[in-house]
Amino acid sequence: KKTGRNVCLPTEAQWEYACRGGTTAPYFFKGSPREYSGQGFLKKIFRPDTSLIASMVIYKGNSLGKTEEPSAVKPNPFGLKNMAGNVYEFCLDFYSPDPYKPDTILINPRGPLKGHEHVIRGGSFKSDAADVRNAARDFTKTRAWLVTDPQMPKSIWWYSDCIDVGFRVVCDADSAAGI
C-alpha cells in the first residue's frame, strides 16, 4: 500500500526462473551437486573443493549454523543474491509432489490452488549442497514447525520452530514501470 505497487509471493515457477538466472544447469554457476555435496563416507576423507559454491551460496558447508548478509555471496546472472541458500523461501503455490504434470505446463505453471502446505524453495544455511540447486524443492511442515507455539500464530507464514525459512516478494511488471 505504501509503495503503490502490487506485490505478492512468487509462484514456484517464477521463483525457479529467478533463481536460475537464465541458466539450465543444476546451479546458476558451474558445478554439480555430486562434486559439492558433503554427504557420503568418502567425502569426509576426500573433501571436495567448495570454494566456488561457497562464494555463491550460504549453505551447510559454509554457514557456521546461521544466516549471512547478502554481501557474503555473489549475485546470479540476473543480479539476485541468496535465491539459493541462506533461507528457504515461501512460494505462493500449495505443495504437490508432482507440480509439473504434462497437462499443466503453461507459460507460468501454477501448483494446486488448494492444499495444506506451501512450497518452499532454495534450501537454507542448514542444507547440503545438493539441496540448494535450482530445482530443489520442499514444503512447509506446519505441525512440526509449531510444536512449541503456545497460541495460534497471527499469520500462516510465521512458524515458531523454524528459523531457516523466509520470503521475498515480486511486483507486477506494470506497477514496476518507470523504475
Side-chain angles (χ1 to χ4, degrees):
K1 217 173 185 180
K2 204 173 213 180
T3 65
R5 297 184 184 161
N6 294 321
V7 296
C8 66
L9 291 172
T11 65
E12 186 172 8
Q14 288 170 325
W15 187 95
E16 187 170 330
Y17 178 79
C19 183
R20 287 185 178 283
T23 66
T24 57
Y27 302 108
F28 63 85
F29 49 90
K30 291 182 180 178
S32 71
R34 176 177 282 167
E35 63 188 284
Y36 295 135
S37 177
Q39 302 294 322
F41 177 72
L42 291 178
K43 297 283 185 161
K44 292 183 185 355
I45 297 170
F46 303 104
R47 296 211 175 255
D49 179 4
T50 58
S51 55
L52 180 60
I53 190 173
S55 70
M56 302 290 189
V57 177
I58 301 301
Y59 73 113
K60 187 177 183 178
N62 68 344
S63 72
L64 302 175
K66 62 186 181 76
T67 59
E68 295 291 337
E69 294 290 326
S71 60
V73 295
K74 295 177 184 171
N76 75 5
F78 287 168
L80 302 170
K81 292 184 176 186
N82 287 328
M83 288 295 298
N86 216 26
V87 294
Y88 282 99
E89 295 180 2
F90 286 110
C91 291
L92 186 61
D93 300 344
F94 284 101
Y95 179 78
S96 169
D98 188 15
Y100 300 117
K101 291 181 184 176
D103 62 333
T104 62
I105 296 186
L106 305 168
I107 292 172
N108 182 12
R110 284 290 312 267
L113 299 178
K114 295 179 182 177
H116 297 289
E117 302 291 351
H118 282 268
V119 174
I120 53 175
R121 297 291 300 260
S124 79
F125 65 89
K126 296 178 177 182
S127 301
D128 182 66
D131 298 322
V132 294
R133 62 190 170 77
N134 297 326
R137 59 193 300 267
D138 205 349
F139 58 91
T140 56
K141 292 152 182 80
T142 301
R143 282 182 182 252
W145 292 352
L146 290 174
V147 171
T148 62
D149 189 14
Q151 59 188 339
M152 182 62 106
K154 295 179 172 81
S155 167
I156 63 168
W157 307 110
W158 179 82
Y159 293 100
S160 59
D161 295 327
C162 182
I163 62 167
D164 63 339
V165 177
F167 69 95
R168 75 177 64 222
V169 295
V170 295
C171 65
D172 293 337
D174 292 341
S175 66
I179 295 177

